[in-house]
Amino acid sequence: MYVLATTNTAEVLKVPLFVEHLMEYEGNFAEFVMEHYDNHKEDSDWATDQKLPFINPPIVLMVNAQLPDISFHIEKPKEIRVPQKNSTYQEKNFPSLYLSRIFQPPRFS
């Protein structure tokens, strides 16, 4: 199922020809693949070799994606001065005696 979904179906249908040609070949499987799929030279059975799967697969889909040129410029932030306002708030002197009971330094036993 996976092979049919990810490859050209016509190439998968050529697999029986591949097996038949492999059985006629005098040598092992690795030699057959190396001879027919790695810079194959024209020989007496050239026409049959060209019918093997994935020798000349058709280009079904070709995607050409190009990323746009992205450039950006970071401007130096402008200095904003905030005027100091005179506050009318005055901090009152609260007794901190109640805080001494809650917040205490850690003790080691």
Side-chain angles (χ1 to χ4, degrees), residues 1-18:
M1 251 343 207
Y2 177 75
V3 172
L4 288 174
T6 58
T7 60
N8 189 357
T9 309
E11 297 300 313
V12 176
L13 294 175
K14 294 179 185 178
V15 171
L17 179 65
F18 176 84

Side-chain angles (χ1 to χ4, degrees), residues 1 3 10 14 18 34 39-40 44 53 60 64 68 72 74-75 79 88 93 98-99 107-109:
M1 251 343 207
V3 172
K14 294 179 185 178
F18 176 84
M34 290 297 290
N39 296 326
H40 185 53
S44 61
V60 177
N64 185 9
F72 59 92
I74 299 175
E75 294 182 12
E79 187 176 328
T88 57
N93 190 7
Y98 69 95
L99 292 175
R107 296 182 186 183
F108 299 103
S109 51

Side-chain angles (χ1 to χ4, degrees), residues 63-77:
V63 177
N64 185 9
Q66 186 176 14
L67 296 176
D69 292 334
I70 298 174
S71 62
F72 59 92
H73 177 71
I74 299 175
E75 294 182 12
K76 184 178 177 182

Side-chain angles (χ1 to χ4, degrees), residues 9-56:
T9 309
E11 297 300 313
V12 176
L13 294 175
K14 294 179 185 178
V15 171
L17 179 65
F18 176 84
V19 173
E20 181 182 330
H21 197 56
L22 174 63
M23 293 175 78
E24 294 171 357
Y25 183 73
E26 296 173 2
N28 62 19
F29 177 75
E31 292 171 351
F32 176 80
V33 172
M34 290 297 290
E35 182 180 329
H36 289 86
Y37 289 94
D38 186 30
N39 296 326
H40 185 53
K41 306 280 189 282
E42 192 168 338
D43 55 0
S44 61
D45 63 345
W46 179 256
T48 307
D49 293 344
Q50 293 304 306
K51 295 177 186 174
L52 289 174
F54 304 106
I55 291 287
N56 297 316

